């Protein structure tokens, strides 16, 4: 057990570095939109092909950007899980851990800490 903990701590810096460097890019089906996200799903780059302006349609462009972005987030999530899984003990169930609703716990802690609960 202690050996596993030491291994995990020893590899933590390497795992953090890999996660920090992790990005995913996706191209729309028509090739006009490319989105790049980081490991946290933040949009870090958006490239629009100039040909997209030949038939201006703001609604369609917005939907295309969102769709392309969402696919990039899905890809980066899978890659992030692969990286993390390499550093965890084999018996650790990553899917079970990922299913925890952390927002529920965070919002409960926030309300207690700030004294602003729902009334």
């Amino acid at each position: 057990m202690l050996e596993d903990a030491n291994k995990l701590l020893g590899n933590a810096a390497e795992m953090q570095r890999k996660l920090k460097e992790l990005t995913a890019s996706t191209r729309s089906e028509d090739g006009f939109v490319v989105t790049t996200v980081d490991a946290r799903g933040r949009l870090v780059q958006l490239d629009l092909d100039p040909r997209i302006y030949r038939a201006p349609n703001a609604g369609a462009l917005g939907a295309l950007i969102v769709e392309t972005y969402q696919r990039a987030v899905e890809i980066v999530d899978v890659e992030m899980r692969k990286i993390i899984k390499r550093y965890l003990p084999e018996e650790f169930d990553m899917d079970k851990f990922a299913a925890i609703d952390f927002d529920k716990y965070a919002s409960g802690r926030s309300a207690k800490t700030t004294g602003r609960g729902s009334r």
Side-chain angles (χ1 to χ4, degrees):
M1 180 92 151
L2 183 58
E3 194 173 306
D4 286 340
N6 286 333
K7 180 181 176 187
L8 185 60
L9 288 174
N11 292 327
E14 181 181 348
M15 181 177 69
Q16 275 186 315
R17 181 185 55 74
K18 287 183 179 188
L19 290 173
K20 188 175 183 178
E21 294 171 356
L22 180 63
T23 62
S25 296
T26 53
R27 180 178 302 277
S28 61
E29 288 185 25
D30 62 9
F32 293 163
V33 175
V34 178
T35 58
T36 302
V37 298
D38 66 10
R40 297 175 92 185
R42 295 179 296 204
L43 184 66
V44 295
Q45 187 167 343
L46 172 64
D47 296 316
L48 303 175
D49 187 298
R51 294 175 291 167
I52 206 158
Y53 302 112
R54 290 183 184 162
N57 182 335
L61 176 58
L64 187 59
I65 291 171
V66 169
E67 175 190 323
T68 307
Y69 164 78
Q70 288 173 337
R71 285 188 299 130
V73 169
E74 290 170 6
I75 292 168
V76 83
D77 184 61
V78 168
E79 294 305 312
M80 181 181 65
R81 288 170 187 262
K82 287 179 185 176
I83 290 170
I84 292 171
K85 196 167 188 152
R86 282 185 235 150
Y87 295 95
L88 296 174
E90 287 182 30
E91 63 274 4
F92 187 83
D93 187 345
M94 184 72 178
D95 293 328
K96 197 173 193 179
F97 179 75
I100 296 172
D101 182 3
F102 289 104
D103 289 336
K104 178 176 110 178
Y105 295 106
S107 63
R109 185 172 48 240
S110 175
K112 288 179 185 175
T113 305
T114 62
R116 287 182 267 153
S118 59
R119 294 176 191 212

